[in-house]
Each structure stands twice: as structure tokens, then as C-alpha cells.
Amino acid sequence: MPKNAESLQRAWDLLVAAGAVVAAIDIPARLALDYRATARATPLDWALTIIFLADMLRHLHRAGWMGARSLPGTWKPARRYAGWWFVIDLSAAIPVAAFSAPPLLQLLRLLKLGRIAERMWHWRRAEFQNPNIIRLAFFFFWLALSTHWIACGWLALRGASADVDQTTNYLRALYWSITTLATVGYGDITPSTNVEMLYAMLVMILGVGVYGYVIGNVAALLANMDPARVRHRELVDRVTAFMRYRRIPAGLQRRILDYYEYLWEKRLGYDESAAISGLPPALRTEVSLFLNRDILQKVPLFGGASDDFIKAIALEMRPMIFMPGDYVMRAGDPGEEMYFISRGTVEVVSAEGDVVYATLTTGDFFGEIALLLRQPRTASVRVVDYCDLYVLSVAAFNRVLTRYPGFAVHIRAVAKQRQEANEKHQGWNERRQF
Amino acid sequence: MPKNAESLQRAWDLLVAAGAVVAAIDIPARLALDYRATARATPLDWALTIIFLADMLRHLHRAGWMGARSLPGTWKPARRYAGWWFVIDLSAAIPVAAFSAPPLLQLLRLLKLGRIAERMWHWRRAEFQNPNIIRLAFFFFWLALSTHWIACGWLALRGASADVDQTTNYLRALYWSITTLATVGYGDITPSTNVEMLYAMLVMILGVGVYGYVIGNVAALLANMDPARVRHRELVDRVTAFMRYRRIPAGLQRRILDYYEYLWEKRLGYDESAAISGLPPALRTEVSLFLNRDILQKVPLFGGASDDFIKAIALEMRPMIFMPGDYVMRAGDPGEEMYFISRGTVEVVSAEGDVVYATLTTGDFFGEIALLLRQPRTASVRVVDYCDLYVLSVAAFNRVLTRYPGFAVHIRAVAKQRQEANEKHQGWNERRQF
Amino acid sequence: MPKNAESLQRAWDLLVAAGAVVAAIDIPARLALDYRATARATPLDWALTIIFLADMLRHLHRAGWMGARSLPGTWKPARRYAGWWFVIDLSAAIPVAAFSAPPLLQLLRLLKLGRIAERMWHWRRAEFQNPNIIRLAFFFFWLALSTHWIACGWLALRGASADVDQTTNYLRALYWSITTLATVGYGDITPSTNVEMLYAMLVMILGVGVYGYVIGNVAALLANMDPARVRHRELVDRVTAFMRYRRIPAGLQRRILDYYEYLWEKRLGYDESAAISGLPPALRTEVSLFLNRDILQKVPLFGGASDDFIKAIALEMRPMIFMPGDYVMRAGDPGEEMYFISRGTVEVVSAEGDVVYATLTTGDFFGEIALLLRQPRTASVRVVDYCDLYVLSVAAFNRVLTRYPGFAVHIRAVAKQRQEANEKHQGWNERRQF
Amino acid sequence: MPKNAESLQRAWDLLVAAGAVVAAIDIPARLALDYRATARATPLDWALTIIFLADMLRHLHRAGWMGARSLPGTWKPARRYAGWWFVIDLSAAIPVAAFSAPPLLQLLRLLKLGRIAERMWHWRRAEFQNPNIIRLAFFFFWLALSTHWIACGWLALRGASADVDQTTNYLRALYWSITTLATVGYGDITPSTNVEMLYAMLVMILGVGVYGYVIGNVAALLANMDPARVRHRELVDRVTAFMRYRRIPAGLQRRILDYYEYLWEKRLGYDESAAISGLPPALRTEVSLFLNRDILQKVPLFGGASDDFIKAIALEMRPMIFMPGDYVMRAGDPGEEMYFISRGTVEVVSAEGDVVYATLTTGDFFGEIALLLRQPRTASVRVVDYCDLYVLSVAAFNRVLTRYPGFAVHIRAVAKQRQEANEKHQGWNERRQF
């Protein structure tokens, strides 16, 4: 179906819905205020009849369109449309007021509201976000209509007072409905006959149900509003309980809570790989590549590597978070990972931590010698502010290399070259010049 | 117990329940409206007495039937039935009105409602679906009865007015009960004596409890209505937060969200193997077999395989979802899986993606050469629309083969044959002719 | 502390609590009904003074008892008790009415309720079951007291009417409080002065809060009532969605749902090892042993084994559930497990399933040859009704054997013997004679 | 921004907020009580104008401060501040009463409340604890303001009565608002004209919404109050169901439930490593070190070890809980772990359990010989009361040793020495003398 026809259809649907709502408001009100006067058809009656008949034709046409394989000329589409919906649409289309039928039959028009209900049901099923809000909105629509009907019913039972005009009569009935439904119950208008009492009781019971539904929905809405926050708080609670039981010193406690606050601020789900692990492989590769390509292409070591190699490496990189003052590595440790800075700043310092060789920031990387040579770290790396790093382990690197034997040859050559030129601190300087 | 006897029993239970409810409605109303007039037994009284006595006999018989090992002729069954239930049943069966006992004693009949309560309790325990709806339905049953009783109590306290008929008297009392329970409180009927005030206070406190229970239930009902949707939304929220933090490009974000929408539409729990992993082995095999047998029997490679072999293979197949435009495999990649299309369409294309060799759809399969020969893919496969595939890895295939050494010989022969006939693109054509 | 002293203490605590509650009810009522008449001390006043003073002595003593290291004779305990609680206890103990102090000061007695509040708080913290119910019960206690106070306040503001007696005066005030708090609001008693209006407004706002708290608690109570059921239903929903999407045949669907219903009926958490995995090792061993010892001691194979060996074997057994008609094993399959029937019945049948060799039930075992010899199963085993089995795999059995080399020698001897005597069907007969 | 300036800013923000709230209370009240009298500007009007103008200057300045790179002298900051906030701030600053404008225009001042709303929104986003409480507090602020406005509106509609003073007039209107919003509805003040009825209906509908929101919030608050308790109870429920189904003996059941109660009392999350596993590596090391350093430094075996070695060992220690009467190890078992007592008491006993060699308590350790020599335990260890132990396995110990080859040499020497001096029971005595 072309785009244009679709929006036309939607406009038509809206028109039909508006017609149904107008009928649902107008007809009961007229019946309640002056039953006898409603025996004559108004222009609105005719307009609704025309709109609803046209809508029936459209449904007939659509049934034909969707059953396109049936031969033209045969009346199969009509048969497919027949059934409950056909009866409903037809009942709503009859201009009862034009015939000498009892005016009450005009309420048949209200059946057309079934179309709105059906559309709402479909809409709610398709939409997966904020089900409570949609449910509540639909509920208020029906509640408003029902309140109107309750007011009309009350008016019909009591009869309109001749002392005041029709607007006042209707407003009083509506006022009574709302006073009762909202359980305020001023008591300035109360039922006097038995039938009125029964009616009032029904409305009160309905009022309790309405309350229950509104409050239940709001409660569900508020309870499900921010599950991430609930989960985070639960986690922090557990950690706090642990720290209190084990009497962790206040300073350390503060730092741990700071860390969780940082996680919450950045809305990080503690493990970003979990967030993307649910994706199909192609999407996952694409996300990893997007996250890491820029940084990977800057690494001289991967200079001549194919796109596929880069992709494979990207998939192996794992995110880590470091806090200010943490040491990512220490001089002398065995080197087993390479690091890429995704966000934040680190300092390359001497083993004693007093000399700062270099400051690296977002987009930089370090520790790449570990991928080539089994040798201890030549310098320490200290974190300056909160740092999101990506880590590539030697094991993962080698795993990828085995799948790209051509590039592995090149890497081994570079490694040998490095080994020969190996001296203290040179690692850092060298890379800077690369 | 035969089927027939069971439905007979159920009908009898229903009759007894109906009798108890009628008694619970009728007796308090008659006592409240005209206390002295209730001293004579009505036909209903006699009918209830007969039904309840018959019910006692049935319980006696059932106690005997369930304790079948006791010797006939001894009165053991009677002893087993004795106890609280016997007292309750007997009290309810006595036609108090026939004796010159105080009419208030007729309320003993209401004890029979205990049977209904017991049955409800059993029912709710057995049924594991929608506990809130069942609980709410039961609650409304008891609430309706209680409201009736409250109205009767109010009537008894105030005395029926002689000015109006009994129906109006009762309706007014009921109207007061509901007005008060629903916390509407018009104030047109208010307590005047101290006892009435105390009674009104009790009803109001009860009303608060009723409200709390109804609203709490509705809230719990709505909160637990669609946990799958809640979980899905939570997941999407997390992914969205991650994407925003990492500044994933809009296009990729859109595609990732599309993917999750597809999952939701199909109501897939992300991993269908999780859904069936909780099943016992025999059921699991059967489900896997049902899902994959048709497709497996079409594979020429498995032509002469035994049923058990097919079953074993079916258990090893893993579902995967691909999105439009994804590449399932690319020409030149090492082939390590065979694929079966469960739903959707793919295109077999040349390495450059410009020539379409074939279009495969639901029920087709591809990549079966990988099971036989360690060779690179001879063509790429691109997904046209959302595709549910089943994957069979070479490792799993070989694992199964080791358990079926006879069939393994056959497979090796086929493999050798293929190897000899091996040429570019032939793989695809060949299978088409098989 | 000896048991006896503890229950004495509890009785004393109850007496003090009762005294505080009586004071909290009596004093405000007397003040509100007749302010001037309260200036004289009643016997109750003196009784409360005595009880509360005795309670202070007890607290002093206890402070001394718990600080047992302080030298006797010094007044350290007193110092430890001093502080807020001392002031509160003392204020509550003063018989204000005996002095010519303003009667309003008698309300100081109500401070003693703080002791009840403190005790409740401790109780709620210690108790981990049904927190909502306890919270609600405490809340209703305070709500009842507050309603009484509100009524007294209203009475004090309006002044008691001289036309009616004091009971009626008080009841009317209480009736107004409840009518307002429960938001019924008949309107037969309404505030007339500004102060009364302000008071009424405060009570109404309090009423909204009370409602919110009661309903919120009930909702939380109902929502958390049966989380196991919620989780189970969620699981079944997911499986149902999967089955519908994959169009599993109705018969298979029915059987899968039957299986879940069975799980629910037995209240099995799908994996009983999960239930006990949280236990410390000693408890875990004991549970496993209890579950399996009887059955293990019947196995002739384990005849001469030590207790420790049986324990080790018990820990290795895994529970499994089979459905009616399932085959636990099939003749010809490689045998890799031994089975113990924990509940249910199975049939040992021929490969074709037409000849029944034996029927085994709760407490029996089968397949033990698999632990000794690598040979195919000599018969099939079919499940008759729902069966809870325990499985012992050969791998686990061998793992245990390596830790008991002595017993391993014995087992190898038995295995050799069996091998020599090996014939078809004999396996089953042999065991029966053992 | 320096600390001082920040608290100054906060004070200023508070002043502006107070001004906005005063205006929001004062202006509608004056308009409602005496519309004509409000045409003259009061001192308050002038004060608010001055404050709000000063606030605008501050915002202008801040816009400049934050856009510090723009050249001074140009009016860029002004441009950045322009927009909605500028219009709002300006409207609120105009002293309408000073001009001959319609008094109703004075309500423009209320726009300044937007600043409060904005600040609240920011605050709620930043704070991750107790979102429901903050939400509820904010809600009550707005509800109180709204109730005031509703009362003013009602007063304006009805006109102030000339019979009573202004305070009484206002109080009556407020009383009506609260009576209606709280759905009490005494009915002593009811609308009489159509407009008043419409107004009352709106207020009632608002009242339903207010109720829903308050109750929903309280419910969500209570439901999320103690998720740890809910989870714990769920677990215990599951274990209880399992024990009942498997008919675990009462004594064992009691001990298992005792264990869970102990866990709950100590607020232990069953696995303390889970609580700290979410931390970044540096923090995790620090926590482990804090927990174990004291105890590790007491071990003579680790006497000459470096700090890094101690750290590495600390990270490998796993917590375990033992119950009274449990045996941590038994004489003759192969020794594979060393234990450190974090809390509690154990007894070293003979194999038969009748001779107590030693009693160890918090801070002690045992079983360290297992780290050196592969020999059976020389004594049993029985737990006296609930014991939190840390376990160090031989495997983990050796793993750490490989990274510290220097210390490994030392350990091997000690092991050899021990082996030579090896005799029964000596292990225990020796350590005591160390």
C-alpha cells in the first residue's frame, strides 16, 4: 500500500471515530433531556448515516483487496466481510430517527464504538513501550464516555426539571455522577425512589471499581517506572551491608560508593558486553567495530592489517573501568594485555611513581609490547580521572592471529625487530615517534 | 473414579452450594424484616434440610469409600468423618424453624458456607494461572454476601418502617450499606442511636479494608499482567542507555532497536533453547525433532540415516536470527557450519555480491559442504528479510557421527566423492539437482 | 540468662506495655470529657506510677547487669542508663494528678508508648517473614490509638454536650473521627468554628495518608505473596509463546504443559540441586545422604563400602524427572549412567517394548552394570507414571573411586566376575537374586 | 567554582525560591478576597521585583561565565540566555500592580515557580536513592500549593461573604477544597450555580488523580522498600518447599532454617565474593587486602614475603560459613586447603573427637601444612559456634607461587625442613611455638 493511501485511510478512520464519539455523546443526551423530541432526524443523523455507510463500502472494498485472488465479479469479498462486524456497522448506519421506530433504538449507533475499541486493542498489542500509560489513556476515554452515559441515565430516571433550562438539568446530573463516582458524596442530590436508589448503588459499585483500576494502574506505572534504578539501588544496598558487616574502613567505603555513583551517572549496566551480547552476530560486529575502529587504526602495529583482521580484534576487546589513582599496570609486572583509552586520562610513570613519562588521553593506547614479547612492563600507568579502557589480552590476540596466518608472519617479524632493539623506557619513546 | 460419577458429584456439590447461598441470603433477610414471622418453617426450610442431610450421607459414604481397607459392617467411616465438619454439617441441616427455638438460631444454616470456602481454597491452590483474578472473584462473592448481611443488620437495628413496603425497607438498608462501604456517604441516612453509631463505625472500618483489598489486588494484577513486556522494555532501556553513552550512530541505533522490536513482535525470548532447556530429555528431543525433522529429511546427505541419527542431529541444531542485509557467510571464509532456513529468505551471491546465484527460502538449507570438507565457502549468502535459521556446526556433526560409526563410513565416502568432483560454484548447482 | 528469667521479663514487659496503653486511652478521654475533674489522682494513676517506677529500677538493674565488668558499689550502671530513655521513663512515672499541676501535663504519661515503639522496631528488624503483615499490624495499633486521640481532641474543641451522657458524647466524637478518616463524610456532624474547621482539615489530610498507607501495604502484601507462582507463570508464559510461534502440535503442547503443571503441584524448583547448593558443605552432605542413603545401602555393589564412600556417592547423584511413556534407556544404547527410583514406577521391557521383564518402583534401582562394564544396555526401561529418579554417571562414579583405592580394587574384581558371566537378560535376573 | 561561591549561590537560589512561593501564595489569595484592592503595589511587590531582577542579572552573568570564550564586550551571553527562560523571568519580575493593568495579570509572577520545578527535576535525576520518597515530597509541595489555589478559585467564584471576616472566608474555601479533594464530602458547603458545579466537578476529578498518585507512590515505596528481604524470603520458601516434598527430617530442617536465619541476621548475601566482584580490580584488591592482611601477616610461613605476594594471596582467599558441630576437616582426609578464622571459634580434636588439642578463635589459622606437604590431616577441626572462615586452596597457593619464584624457593626449603621433622600431632604444637 503506498504511503499516501495509508495516511488517507488514517484520516478516514479518524473521521469515522469522531462520528462514533459524537453519536455516543449526542444521542443519549437528547434521549434523556427530551425523549419525544428525538423522534425527528437531525442533519447530524443524516451525516452519520452517510459516513457510516461509506465506511461499510470501504470495508467491503478492503475485504476484496485483501482477498485479491478471488475472481472479480463474484461476490466473495462481501461474504468475507459478512459476520458480526457487518451487522454492527449496518446497525450503526441506519437512520432510526427517520423512521417511526422507538427513539431508544437510536442507541444502536453506539455500536460503532466497537470499531474504536478494536483499533485500541490492536494498538496496545503492537506498542511495547509504556503499556500502563496507554492503558490509562484508553481507560480515561471510556471513563469520560461512561460518566456522560451515567449522567444521562440519571436524568432519564428523574426526569428533567421544568424550572431550569436544559443545560442546568444536564450539569446537575453530571455533577451527581461525578460526585458519586469520585466517592465524594456531598449528599445535596440523593435518590428518592427505589429505582433511583438501585441506580445509585450500581454507580457507587462502579465507582469503587474505577478507583481500584486507576490507582492500580498508577501504582503499576510508578513501580515499573525505573527498574534500572531499583536494581542499582539493590546492588548498592547489598554492597553496603557487606561493607558494614566486614567493617571496611570509611575511606575505602566512600571510594566504593563513589564508584557505584559514577556507574549510575553514566548509566552503565556494569558490563557493556552484556548489553550487546543479545544482538545477532552481524550487529554485534558492527557495534564493536564502531566502538574501536578509530582507535585500532591508530595502532602502528596493525598498520597493514586487513579489514577482517581489525573486525576480529574489535570483537575481542573488553571494556574496563578504572578509578582515579588506580594503577592499570605496574613496572615489573608480567605484561599480558594491551589497553586502549576510550574516555579519560592516564599517566605513564616510573616504577616509583615520581617521574611522569607521558600523559595519555582519549584515543591513546599503551602496553602494546605485551602482544609481541613476554617481558615485564617497563613503566607503571596511573589513572588520573575516571577512565573507560578497552583491554586486548595476549591470548585473544594470538587466537585471532591463528586465523590470519599471513598477518601473523608480519607480526612475528616486528616482534623480532623489537626484541633486538629492546631497551629500558624505549618502549614508550618509540611509540611516540611511530 | 469413573468420569460419569465425577460429573454427578460436581452437580451435587453445585446444588449444595446453591442451597447454602440461598439460605445465607434468605434467612437473614427474613429475620431482619419480620423477626416473629420467621418462627414457622417454610417449604424452603424443609428442602434445605433434606439436601443438607443427603449431603451428610454422601460425606459419610465418601469417608467409607476412601478408607476402603476398613472392614465393612464396622462404623469406622463414621468415625473418620466425625469432627468439626460433622458438627458443621449437622448444625446446618437442623430445621430450626420447625421447633420452638429462638428464630436467631436459624443462622446456624450459614455454617454450610464453610463448605464453599473450603472448596474455594482447594481450587485456588490447584490453579496456578491468574491467582489474582481468582482471588478477586472469590472476594467479590463474599463481599456481595457481606453487604447483604450488613444491610440486614442495619434493618434489624433500626426496625423496618411501617410506612413503606418491605422491598423499600430492604433497599434503603442496602443503599445505606453500599453508600457507607463505598465511602460515598451521602448522609441522607445516618445513625441516630449509640448502637447504630457503633454499627456504622464498624461498617466504615470494614469499608476501608475492602477498598484496600480491592485496590491492592487490582494493583498486583496489573503489575504482574505482562512481566515479559516489562523485562523486554528493561532490556531495551539498558541497550538504549549504552548506545547513547557510547554515541552509536543513529542508523545503527535504529537497526538495533528494529531488531528488538522484531523479537518482541514474534514474542521470542531471545533464545529458544532457553525456553525448552527446562524440559525433561524425552520432551526436549521430541520438540527438537518436530522443529527440524521435515527440513532434515530433505537433506540428501542424510538420505540413508536412521531415525536415531536424525534425532541426535536435531538436538544439536541451534537457532539464530539474522537481519535483512546481514551476511550469513562470505565467500572465502572457512566453512564451519551448515544452515537450515526455518523462516525467511536468503540469496546466494557471488563474492562481490553483484551476481545472485539462487534464492533460498523457508525449508531450504545451505553450507552442507562444510560438514564434509575443510574448504572455504564458495559463495556468500545474504539475508533478504528477517530470517530464523538453524545452525549445525561441524564439531557437533562429528560428535554425533562418532556415535553412529556405520553412517560415518557412508559420509566419508560421500565426502571423498565430492572432493574429487570439486569445482567452483558447482556446490550450489549440484545440490539443486540432487 | 536462664529460660525462666526470660519469660518473667517478657511478662513484665507486657504489663508495662499494657499500663502505657491504658494510660494512653484513659488520660486523653478524661481530659476531653471533664477537664476540671481530672485534677485528682485516681487509683489507676497510683498503680501506673508504681509500675513505671519499678520498670525504671529494672532498667537500672539491667544496665548494671550488662555492664558486669564495672565494679559493684560504683554508680556506673546509673550513668549508662541516664540519657533520653531515663528522662522519658521518669516523666511517665510522675503522678502529675497528685500535684496541683495543670491536668494537661498528665499527657506526659503517653511518653511511655515510646518503649512500645522501640520494642516493635526491634521485633520487625529481627523477623524476616511476612514483613508487610507485621508492619500492617503495628500500623493498625497506632491507627486505633490515633483515632481515639482525634476523637478526644474533637471533644475537647467542641465541649461535651450537657444534654447527653458522657458515653454518647464520646461515641459521637469517635463517630465523627472515623467518618472523616474513612472519607465517608456523612456530613451530619460538621465543624462550625474556624478552629474546628482547621482541625477537621488536618484530620482529612491524615485520612488520605492513612488510606495511602493501608492500600499501599495491602498492595505490596498481595504482590509479594507468592513470588514462586509469579515466576512459574512467567516461565510457562514464555514456553507457551515459543510453542505457539513454532506451531508445536497440540498433543505435544498439552504434554509439555502437563509437565509444568506436575512441577508446580510438587512445588519443585526445577532443579533441586539449586535449592541445596546454597547450603554449607556439611549440611549439603547431610541432605544428600538423607535423600539417598536408604537406596544406596540396598545396592549389592556397594555392599562392603565405607560410610565415607557412600557419602561421596550420595553427593554425586543428580535428580531427574521423567514423564509417563518416556524411555529412560533403550536396549542397545551405550550405558553411561545408573538410576535410582526416588518416586514412581518404571517397566523393564524388551527392545521392541512388547515384553515386560520387570516392574520397578520407589526404592529400586537399575542400570548398575554401566558402572562396571562398557557395554550396550541389555533392555529398555519405560516410565509408567511421573518418576523422580536420581542419576549416577560413570564419570562421577570413577571420580569417587579414585579417592577410595581400596574399594576400587573390590569393584574391579566384581566387574571382572560379571564380565565372565555375561549373557543376555541375565543382568536383570541376576540383580533380582542378589 | 570555589566552595564559598557555591554556597552563596545556593543561598541566593533559596531566596528566589522563597520569593516565588510567597508570591504564589499571596497574590491569588489577595485577588480572591478583594479583587479591587489588589490594584495597588505593596512593599512585597517591590521586594519581589528587585529580587527577580537581580536573579535575571545573575543568570545573564552565569551565561557569560559558562560561555567564557566569547570576547568580553560583545553581548553573546545575553543572546545565550534569551529564549523561554528569559521571557519567564522577565514576566515574573514586572511589578504589574504598579501599573494600571488588570490585577489578574499579577498572576504572571507565578511563572517564577518554573524555576523551582526545573531545579526539582534536576535534583531527582541526580539522586539515585529513594526516588519514591523524593517524588512524594515534591508532589506534596505542589499539592499544597494547588489546594491553596483551588480554595482561592472557589472564593473568587462564590465571592467573599460580608458577614464574616476575611480569615473565615478563606478558611471556609480551603475547608471546602480539602473536603472535596480528600473525597470526604461532608456536603455542608455545596455548589449552587452552574459555574460552581463545573468547578466542583473539576476539583473532584483532580481529587481522584491525587489519590491515585499518592497511593500508587506509597505502594511503590513499600514494595521496593526491602528487596533484599523479599529475595531472602523467596529463597527460604523454595528451600522449605523442597524439604517438605523430600520429607527431610525435622531436625535437619530446623538446622537448615537456622543457617538461613544466621545469614539473614548477618545480612550476608550468601556469597561475599559476589558483592565485591562488581568492583574494578584495584578496589577489589584493596578490599581483599583489608579483609585478610592482619591474619595473613600472622602466618609465620609468609614471614619474609613481599607486599605484592600478600596481596596476591589475599585475592585468592574465599569466604565460607560453617555451623556449630560441623567438621571443617577430619584427621586422615587428604589436606587441600588452609583455613583462616575471620569470626567464630573452632576446636582441634583427635580423630575420635574425644580429645581437644586446642581451641582456635578469630584471627587464628590452621591447616597450613597442606600448602607444603601432600599428607593426610593429623587432627580433626570441629566448629564450636557459627564460623566465618577464609579458605586458601593449595592450587591457588601454587598458582601465586609461580608468579613469585624467589619466594617459592624459600617455601620449598621450609617444606623440606618440615618433612624431616614430621611426626604426629607435632604440626599443631609446632605452630603454637612459632
Side-chain angles (χ1 to χ4, degrees), chain B residues 243-300:
Chain B
M243 294 194 300
R244 211 167 292 153
Y245 179 62
R246 292 294 181 185
R247 302 223 183 82
I248 302 285
L252 189 48
Q253 284 202 20
R254 192 59 253 160
R255 278 172 59 207
I256 289 174
L257 291 179
D258 277 357
Y259 170 71
Y260 280 108
E261 213 154 311
Y262 174 77
L263 280 187
W264 175 246
E265 255 169 51
K266 296 292 180 204
R267 294 290 189 280
L268 289 174
Y270 311 131
D271 188 1
E272 103 179 15
S273 23
I276 61 171
S277 68
L279 295 175
L283 275 182
R284 205 160 51 220
T285 310
E286 224 167 308
V287 170
S288 294
L289 204 60
F290 166 77
L291 292 177
N292 302 313
R293 178 168 236 155
D294 287 1
I295 218 169
L296 279 172
Q297 276 172 345
K298 281 208 247 163
V299 182

Side-chain angles (χ1 to χ4, degrees), chain C residues 209-274:
Chain C
V210 165
Y211 248 75
Y213 196 82
V214 170
I215 290 172
N217 255 301
V218 173
L221 193 70
L222 294 170
N224 293 331
M225 201 132 98
D226 204 346
R229 197 192 286 260
V230 170
R231 247 182 310 119
H232 183 84
R233 197 157 67 86
E234 220 175 296
L235 183 80
V236 172
D237 279 359
R238 195 152 24 150
V239 170
T240 309
F242 158 73
M243 293 194 301
R244 209 168 293 153
Y245 179 62
R246 291 293 181 187
R247 301 221 183 82
I248 303 285
L252 189 50
Q253 284 202 20
R254 192 59 254 157
R255 280 171 58 208
I256 289 175
L257 290 180
D258 277 357
Y259 169 72
Y260 280 108
E261 215 153 310
Y262 174 76
L263 281 187
W264 175 246
E265 256 169 51
K266 296 292 180 206
R267 295 289 188 280
L268 290 173
Y270 311 130
D271 188 2
E272 102 180 16
S273 22

Side-chain angles (χ1 to χ4, degrees), chain B residues 124-125 127-131 135 176 180 183-187 190-191 194 197-198 201 204-205 208 212-213 215-217 224 227 231 262 266-268 272 275-276 278-283 286-287 290-291 342-343 388 390, chain C residues 165 167-168 171-172 174-175 178-179 182-186 188 211 214-215 218-219 222-223 225 229-230 232-234 236-239 241-242 245-249 252 255-256 259-261 264 267 320-323 326 330:
Chain B
R124 236 188 58 195
R125 252 190 79 83
E127 191 63 35
F128 72 78
Q129 290 200 347
N130 294 328
R135 198 162 52 194
W176 175 83
T180 305
T183 77
V184 172
Y186 282 137
T190 51
N194 281 1
M197 257 195 285
L198 273 171
M201 283 188 245
M204 285 178 215
I205 290 167
V208 175
Y213 195 82
I215 290 171
N217 255 300
N224 293 331
R231 248 182 311 119
Y262 174 77
K266 296 292 180 204
R267 294 290 189 280
L268 289 174
E272 103 179 15
I276 61 171
L279 295 175
L283 275 182
E286 224 167 308
V287 170
F290 166 77
L291 292 177
S342 160
R343 192 180 281 207
D388 295 350
Y390 278 90
Chain C
D165 61 0
T167 312
T168 309
L171 269 184
R172 274 196 195 154
L174 188 66
Y175 166 74
I178 291 180
T179 312
T183 77
V184 172
Y186 283 136
D188 48 354
Y211 248 75
V214 170
I215 290 172
V218 173
L222 294 170
M225 201 132 98
R229 197 192 286 260
V230 170
H232 183 84
R233 197 157 67 86
E234 220 175 296
V236 172
D237 279 359
R238 195 152 24 150
V239 170
F242 158 73
Y245 179 62
R246 291 293 181 187
R247 301 221 183 82
I248 303 285
L252 189 50
R255 280 171 58 208
I256 289 175
Y259 169 72
Y260 280 108
E261 215 153 310
W264 175 246
R267 295 289 188 280
M320 275 183 102
I321 297 173
F322 285 85
M323 300 176 68
D326 280 4
R330 280 177 191 277

